[in-house]
Amino acid sequence: MRAGTGFAVAYNPEYLRAATAFDDFLRPPMVTVGLFENDQKTAETLHRLYRPFGAPISFLGVEEAEFQKYVHNLFNATKISFVNEMRGIAHGCGLTRVDELFQITAVTAEGLRNPRYGIDDRGPYGGGCLPKDVSAWLAEMERLGIESPMASAARTVNIRMGGR
């Protein structure tokens, strides 16, 4: 047998969290489907299947859908690692209201409150604040003998992209 003749194959990454998988399945933020060779018949079938869930449905190629799932999980892992790094440094510096700091950041940092922030293809970060503050942060961490690998990686990627 051959896919597309008698049966169909699609890649359907899920966005389920371990603790809330059942609820996440019933109320997905979005449904992503990867299709082989732009298979419209399978797209129509899966659209009918997922329409009752009320979530937007995105049809991509299989490779694109798989890549998107990696981007999804790597973003989450990076955010958690960044916050863990900052939390550890804050505690190491003797700060006690660390949870309050992160609550304020959740409101003030555009990258947290604006889901579109940083996803357009505009190249490296720039402006008057981001390059200066990343460099100042890393210089102070070096002076204190504290590693800050997430911030260092952000600067390394930015420089590779042609930024400062």
Side-chain angles (χ1 to χ4, degrees), residues 10-13 32-39 58-68:
Y11 175 72
N12 184 209
T32 302
V33 177
L35 298 171
F36 288 92
E37 300 176 8
N38 199 19
D39 181 353
S58 177
F59 291 97
L60 303 169
V62 172
E63 292 85 5
E64 294 163 329
E66 186 173 26
F67 188 87
Q68 186 281 323

Side-chain angles (χ1 to χ4, degrees), residues 15 66-82 150:
Y15 306 107
E66 186 173 26
F67 188 87
Q68 186 281 323
K69 178 60 179 201
Y70 278 114
V71 171
H72 169 99
N73 281 338
L74 291 168
F75 176 80
N76 287 335
T78 301
K79 180 179 176 181
I80 291 167
S81 294
F82 174 76
M150 297 297 295

Side-chain angles (χ1 to χ4, degrees), residues 2-151:
R2 182 180 162 101
T5 308
F7 73 96
V9 177
Y11 175 72
N12 184 209
E14 43 75 17
Y15 306 107
L16 308 178
R17 298 165 293 173
T20 58
F22 185 73
D23 288 337
D24 291 345
F25 175 79
L26 293 176
R27 288 180 281 291
M30 174 169 240
V31 173
T32 302
V33 177
L35 298 171
F36 288 92
E37 300 176 8
N38 199 19
D39 181 353
Q40 289 304 306
K41 183 176 178 184
T42 301
E44 291 167 13
T45 300
L46 291 172
H47 191 268
R48 282 193 308 273
L49 175 71
Y50 283 117
R51 187 177 355 185
F53 289 90
I57 304 170
S58 177
F59 291 97
L60 303 169
V62 172
E63 292 85 5
E64 294 163 329
E66 186 173 26
F67 188 87
Q68 186 281 323
K69 178 60 179 201
Y70 278 114
V71 171
H72 169 99
N73 281 338
L74 291 168
F75 176 80
N76 287 335
T78 301
K79 180 179 176 181
I80 291 167
S81 294
F82 174 76
V83 171
N84 285 338
E85 177 179 305
M86 292 297 118
R87 185 179 304 281
I89 292 170
H91 286 306
C93 291
L95 302 178
T96 58
R97 297 168 65 184
V98 178
D99 288 337
E100 187 175 345
L101 290 170
F102 289 116
Q103 292 302 318
I104 293 169
T105 303
V107 173
T108 61
E110 189 172 357
L112 290 175
R113 63 182 159 80
N114 176 356
R116 301 270 328 147
Y117 183 79
I119 66 168
D120 294 331
D121 187 7
R122 294 187 179 170
Y125 62 76
C129 292
L130 297 181
K132 171 186 61 74
D133 286 352
V134 171
S135 292
W137 173 265
L138 290 171
E140 181 65 6
M141 292 301 101
E142 185 175 340
R143 187 186 75 75
L144 295 172
I146 299 172
E147 290 186 14
S148 189
M150 297 297 295

